[in-house]
Amino acid sequence: MTTLTPDIRSALEQQAIELPSWAFGNSGTRFKVFATPGTPRDPYEKIADAAEVNRVTALAPSVALHIPWDKVDDYADLRRHANDLGVELGTINSNTFQDDDYKFGALTHEDPAVRRKAIAHHLECIDIMDATGSRDLKIWLAEGSNYPGQADLRGRQDRLQESLQEIYARLGDDQRLVLEYKFFEPAFYHTDVPDWGTSYAQVAALGDKAMVCLDTGHHAPGTNIEFIVMQLQRLGKLGSFDFNSRFYADDDLIVGAADPFQLFRIIFEVIRGGGLNNPDVAFMLDQCHNVEKKIPGQIRSVLNVQEMTARALLVDGDALRAAQISGDVLAANAVFMDAFYTDVRPALAEWRESRGLPADPMAAYAASGYQEKIEADRVGGVQAGWGA
Ligand code: RM4
Ligand code: MN
């Protein structure tokens, strides 16, 4: 059995992956949203479910909120509720994609009144961050156009920068803004923040507290994502990850599901760039569980990240460098692949047990009775979902 060195164990022990509150609510495709028994009806129940993931894995100490989906009357109370369950409130996500006013854009809109409304929404998100103790404001914009000629591409880019400047100016000293990019959808011809370069240009013009968020599902098929990870770290602008997995588009599936090797390569570059367990680079999930149970879906996800981190930490850096320097292509590749093909699951199970955690968190959750309890208790009310 592969053993994990003390260095690897200590790196794994520090690992923290933020969970998205919306992963516990219902979601679906544009064809159907299936209801799932036990789905939370409010943010309090979402946080309780997230805390279960952390209870069996010790990997997920914080939960990201999405506004307005997770609006509550008293954020200090929500924060206490989270803390009582052993988790923190994390990143606050803004939402400018579900309001009729934003049909032709929000922060980029031609109409100053619409831009004002969208900016005000972000300022409200920062007020919420003050109350929840959150550090990061995550902005993903659904802005773009469907037809050539429909929009003034340059004007929209300028207005985006102006709007972001107003939002940035409101951030506290310890707060950050992370700008997420996505190459298509919901707009199909152009997106105002389509790629890491655009996000980088926009946040670099703002200042040190603005960073790029890389969602692994937001690239064209075949994109070398780990190269982007390397470059953003090199530039000091990789602020966070939204981890998920995709076969075709922005599928938001369980991280590592479609391409475990890609996840390995990404985490290898994070380690190489000094981003592992570095608070500057937040690890988050951004996923939806449409047909599988949601809490086990999140447990599987954080375990996949942990497993690939362990494998990436096994890469023999000295041997790899030696092979690279000597131009031994196949030896270098072999060092890399040896680590990837190493089955770390037995060693991880043993290590978890040595820390008082379940060796098999999936089985521990299944045996805990929590799923049966929420399915029995959460009757009535409106199940949480993407309808704001
Ligand atoms: C978007 C994007 C955002 C997330 C929403 C729900 O596609 O990835 O990060 O907040 O989905
Ligand atoms: Mn995302």
Side-chain angles (χ1 to χ4, degrees):
M1 184 173 90
T2 305
T3 47
L4 303 170
T5 64
D7 280 356
I8 294 181
R9 275 186 259 137
S10 116
L12 293 174
E13 196 159 347
Q14 292 169 51
Q15 188 159 47
I17 305 157
E18 186 161 296
L19 306 184
S21 70
W22 56 100
F24 300 96
N26 289 328
S27 54
T29 66
R30 60 201 163 109
F31 301 102
K32 170 73 178 162
V33 174
F34 294 104
T36 311
T39 295
R41 280 83 49 88
D42 59 38
Y44 286 82
E45 292 181 347
K46 292 183 197 172
I47 288 167
D49 290 2
E52 276 302 291
V53 178
N54 192 47
R55 191 179 63 75
V56 293
T57 64
L59 275 168
S62 63
V63 193
L65 302 182
H66 218 295
I67 307 298
W69 299 339
D70 294 322
K71 266 192 163 184
V72 292
D73 292 335
D74 184 348
Y75 290 95
D77 186 61
L78 189 68
R79 186 181 187 179
R80 265 191 307 276
H81 168 71
N83 293 167
D84 287 348
L85 294 169
V87 293
E88 300 281 346
L89 300 180
T91 301
I92 299 296
N93 290 255
S94 62
N95 182 330
T96 52
F97 49 88
Q98 291 185 309
D99 188 312
D100 283 340
D101 284 344
Y102 301 139
K103 183 170 171 180
F104 295 126
L107 296 180
T108 62
H109 202 285
E110 293 272 2
D111 181 349
V114 177
R115 295 205 298 279
R116 173 85 9 245
K117 173 174 167 170
I119 292 168
H121 166 64
H122 286 88
L123 301 186
E124 185 196 353
C125 287
I126 301 175
D127 289 340
I128 293 171
M129 289 160 66
D130 292 341
T132 53
S134 305
R135 180 188 62 170
D136 290 350
L137 169 66
K138 191 171 105 215
I139 305 179
W140 171 71
L141 300 167
E143 319 199 11
S145 64
N146 276 357
Y147 297 98
Q150 179 191 330
D152 172 15
L153 304 185
R154 168 64 192 263
R156 292 173 72 89
Q157 208 57 210
D158 295 340
R159 291 193 289 276
L160 174 60
Q161 179 59 210
E162 271 175 39
S163 300
L164 288 174
Q165 277 179 15
E166 275 198 50
I167 297 164
Y168 185 83
R170 166 66 184 80
L171 290 174
D173 289 344
D174 299 324
Q175 292 174 334
R176 313 189 308 175
L177 171 166
V178 293
L179 181 62
E180 182 173 352
Y181 59 91
K182 182 177 179 182
F183 79 118
F184 90 110
E185 200 196 36
F188 296 113
Y189 166 57
H190 105 276
T191 293
D192 290 303
V193 189
D195 51 32
W196 74 268
T198 303
S199 179
Y200 176 79
Q202 286 286 344
V203 299
L206 294 175
D208 291 345
K209 293 183 290 183
M211 313 274 276
V212 177
C213 172
L214 185 159
D215 183 312
T216 51
H218 288 189
H219 307 84
T223 301
N224 182 338
I225 298 176
E226 59 271 26
F227 185 88
I228 300 171
V229 171
M230 173 281 293
Q231 189 67 282
L232 284 172
Q233 286 188 113
R234 187 175 158 267
L235 297 166
K237 282 292 186 193
L238 181 62
S240 53
F241 281 100
D242 269 1
F243 280 117
N244 49 50
S245 188
R246 55 82 67 91
F247 287 95
Y248 302 105
D250 186 22
D251 304 351
D252 281 339
L253 298 174
I254 288 174
V255 53
D259 190 347
F261 185 39
Q262 180 186 64
L263 180 60
F264 172 86
R265 301 191 310 262
I266 288 172
I267 295 179
F268 174 80
E269 284 305 329
V270 172
I271 296 168
R272 167 71 179 88
L276 183 69
N277 301 327
N278 177 342
D280 290 350
V281 183
F283 274 37
M284 302 185 291
L285 304 183
D286 177 11
Q287 295 180 182
C288 296
H289 303 292
N290 297 344
V291 293
E292 67 276 26
K293 286 193 176 119
K294 299 168 198 310
I295 299 171
Q298 290 285 284
I299 296 172
R300 177 79 274 151
S301 300
V302 296
L303 293 176
N304 284 355
V305 174
Q306 181 182 56
E307 193 179 319
M308 279 307 149
T309 305
R311 293 204 209 182
L313 286 164
L314 281 173
V315 173
D316 182 341
D318 293 339
L320 184 66
R321 263 320 274 152
Q324 288 172 344
I325 292 165
S326 67
D328 194 338
V329 177
L330 295 182
N333 183 241
V335 170
F336 204 78
M337 298 312 292
D338 273 350
F340 173 66
Y341 283 122
T342 305
D343 186 1
V344 292
R345 290 173 299 180
L348 284 174
E350 198 173 80
W351 171 70
R352 281 187 205 112
E353 252 181 344
S354 74
R355 297 165 64 217
L357 289 165
D360 180 349
M362 294 291 286
Y365 174 74
S368 72
Y370 186 86
Q371 187 71 36
E372 291 75 9
K373 186 169 165 19
I374 57 174
E375 290 183 12
D377 289 354
R378 293 178 183 168
V379 177
V382 179
Q383 296 195 331
W386 272 40

